[in-house]
């Protein structure tokens, strides 16, 4: 009798535990109210930007920095941006750099992904070029601009070469890191089910390594963008068009700090926009697909 009661009690405890786990896994299907989204996602960065602008304006208004050639006011920078927009030049600056950056990153993705898989899966290749990839990742992107100009000349091919040399090591190393973190149990289970060779790589290794791979892509884009800006600043040439890096260099040559700040703010804005529009959604999708992020 006591045994029956104990069994019933254990069954009840298990049922309660299962119910609790089900409750934890239950996801609210509805969207968050706009007010909650505004408070959590929109309001904090708006406040941060407002504080920076207020501090900037205070430095100018209270004559802490009283030389406009060193620190223009936010209004002066905004006027330069507005004039560039009215003259139809602003979008041209942005598109010149963004188109180069995205196309160069796409080429880096095509090269870095198979290279990362090769390094991660072939022991001899890892021993041969693994340390070189790590060294290339730590090398400043600006170091590649002079040899690229000498090898390829002042053209778009030079820009893409600098982007590739800056981004490929980050993408490859991110994928290597992701593959290294794949549990061996997954690989054994895949082999048991017949997923070997390319099939195992496509269906087992890549999905399991996706978090590390996405982190590598995000870092690779950052290196791509920085490499491109370095190339545009150093290797200026009329036939290349005026991108954001060239705009920054033009402001320096003209001693126009308002133009310099315009270029800096545009470079920062594009970097943030690409992250918010492409990499943050991709990162959330990866986390949500693994149950690490609640949809809502």
């Amino acid at each position: 009798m006591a045994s029956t009661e104990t069994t019933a009690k254990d069954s009840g405890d298990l049922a309660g535990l299962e119910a609790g786990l089900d409750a934890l896994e239950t996801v609210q299907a509805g969207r968050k109210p706009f007010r909650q989204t505004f408070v959590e996602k929109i309001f904090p960065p708006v406040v941060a930007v407002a504080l920076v602008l207020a501090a900037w304006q205070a430095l100018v208004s209270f004559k802490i920095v009283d030389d406009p050639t060193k620190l223009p006011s936010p209004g002066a920078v905004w006027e330069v941006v507005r004039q560039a927009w009215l003259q139809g030049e602003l979008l041209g600056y942005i598109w010149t750099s963004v188109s180069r950056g995205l196309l160069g990153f796409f080429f880096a993705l095509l090269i870095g992904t198979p290279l990362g898989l090769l390094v991660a899966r072939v022991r001899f290749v890892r021993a041969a070029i693994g340390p070189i990839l790590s060294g290339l990742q730590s090398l400043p992107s600006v170091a590649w601009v002079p040899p690229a100009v000498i090898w390829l000349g002042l053209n778009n091919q030079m820009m893409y070469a600098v982007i590739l040399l800056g981004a490929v090591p980050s993408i490859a190393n991110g994928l290597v890191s992701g593959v290294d973190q794949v549990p061996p149990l997954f690989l054994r289970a895949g082999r048991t089910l017949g997923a070997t060779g390319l099939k195992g790589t496509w269906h087992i290794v890549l999905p399991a390594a996706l978090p590390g791979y996405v982190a590598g892509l995000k870092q690779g884009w950052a290196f791509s963008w920085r490499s491109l800006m370095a190339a545009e600043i150093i290797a200026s040439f009329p036939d290349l068009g005026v991108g954001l890096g060239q705009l920054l260099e033009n402001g320096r040559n003209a001693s126009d700090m308002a133009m310099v700040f315009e270029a800096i703010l545009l470079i920062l804005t594009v970097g943030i926009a690409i992250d918010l529009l492409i990499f943050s959604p991709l990162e959330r999708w990866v986390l949500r697909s693994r149950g690490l992020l609640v949809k809502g």
Side-chain angles (χ1 to χ4, degrees), residues 135-207:
L136 290 175
Q137 189 174 359
S138 63
L139 185 69
S141 305
V142 68
W144 288 114
V145 179
V149 172
I150 294 172
W151 293 335
L152 300 172
L154 291 171
N155 50 44
N156 280 320
Q157 285 73 22
M158 177 273 299
M159 299 282 185
Y160 296 135
V162 173
I163 292 173
L164 290 176
L165 291 167
V168 167
S170 295
I171 295 173
N173 280 330
L175 184 52
V176 170
S177 177
V179 172
D180 287 345
Q181 296 174 21
V182 175
L185 180 62
F186 288 9
L187 302 178
R188 290 197 296 268
R191 285 194 294 268
T192 302
L193 296 173
T196 58
L198 291 177
K199 185 182 294 186
T201 299
W202 180 255
H203 292 287
I204 304 296
V205 176
L206 277 178

Side-chain angles (χ1 to χ4, degrees), residues 9-209:
K9 182 178 179 180
D10 291 342
S11 299
D13 292 340
L14 289 174
L17 179 60
E18 290 176 358
L21 291 174
D22 290 340
L24 287 174
E25 293 176 355
T26 301
V27 177
Q28 296 295 330
R31 288 179 173 270
K32 288 183 179 179
F34 175 75
R35 181 177 179 180
Q36 184 179 354
T37 302
F38 178 82
V39 171
E40 293 179 356
K41 300 290 182 66
I42 302 175
F43 185 67
V46 169
V47 170
V49 171
L51 290 175
V52 170
L53 291 176
W56 182 0
Q57 184 62 53
L59 290 174
V60 176
S61 299
F62 294 108
K63 305 297 182 181
I64 299 174
V65 180
D66 58 356
D67 186 354
T69 62
K70 293 183 178 179
L71 183 65
S73 67
V77 176
W78 173 252
E79 181 61 23
V80 172
V81 174
R82 191 176 75 87
Q83 289 298 324
W85 171 263
L86 293 177
Q87 294 169 9
E89 298 175 343
L90 187 63
L91 292 180
Y93 299 150
I94 296 172
W95 175 247
T96 298
S97 292
V98 170
S99 60
R100 284 176 182 156
L102 291 178
L103 186 58
F105 178 75
F106 176 72
F107 290 144
L109 183 64
L110 293 180
I111 297 172
T113 300
L115 180 62
L117 281 174
L118 193 64
V119 172
R121 303 292 287 170
V122 181
R123 188 173 302 175
F124 175 79
V125 176
R126 171 175 290 205
I129 67 174
I132 298 176
L133 282 177
S134 298
L136 290 175
Q137 189 174 359
S138 63
L139 185 69
S141 305
V142 68
W144 288 114
V145 179
V149 172
I150 294 172
W151 293 335
L152 300 172
L154 291 171
N155 50 44
N156 280 320
Q157 285 73 22
M158 177 273 299
M159 299 282 185
Y160 296 135
V162 173
I163 292 173
L164 290 176
L165 291 167
V168 167
S170 295
I171 295 173
N173 280 330
L175 184 52
V176 170
S177 177
V179 172
D180 287 345
Q181 296 174 21
V182 175
L185 180 62
F186 288 9
L187 302 178
R188 290 197 296 268
R191 285 194 294 268
T192 302
L193 296 173
T196 58
L198 291 177
K199 185 182 294 186
T201 299
W202 180 255
H203 292 287
I204 304 296
V205 176
L206 277 178

Side-chain angles (χ1 to χ4, degrees), residues 210-271:
L210 205 53
Y213 182 45
V214 170
L217 294 181
K218 194 172 182 179
Q219 189 178 51
W221 164 253
F223 275 86
S224 295
W225 190 237
R226 287 161 49 184
S227 301
L228 176 61
M229 292 302 103
E232 288 186 351
I233 290 171
I234 296 175
S236 60
F237 192 66
D239 291 345
L240 292 174
V242 180
L244 298 178
Q246 181 61 57
L247 179 66
L248 182 63
E249 181 66 8
N250 290 346
R252 185 193 70 84
N253 292 332
S255 298
D256 187 344
M257 283 303 294
M259 184 183 294
V260 169
F261 272 85
E262 174 196 18
I264 291 173
L265 292 176
L266 289 175
I267 292 170
L268 181 63
T269 300
V270 170

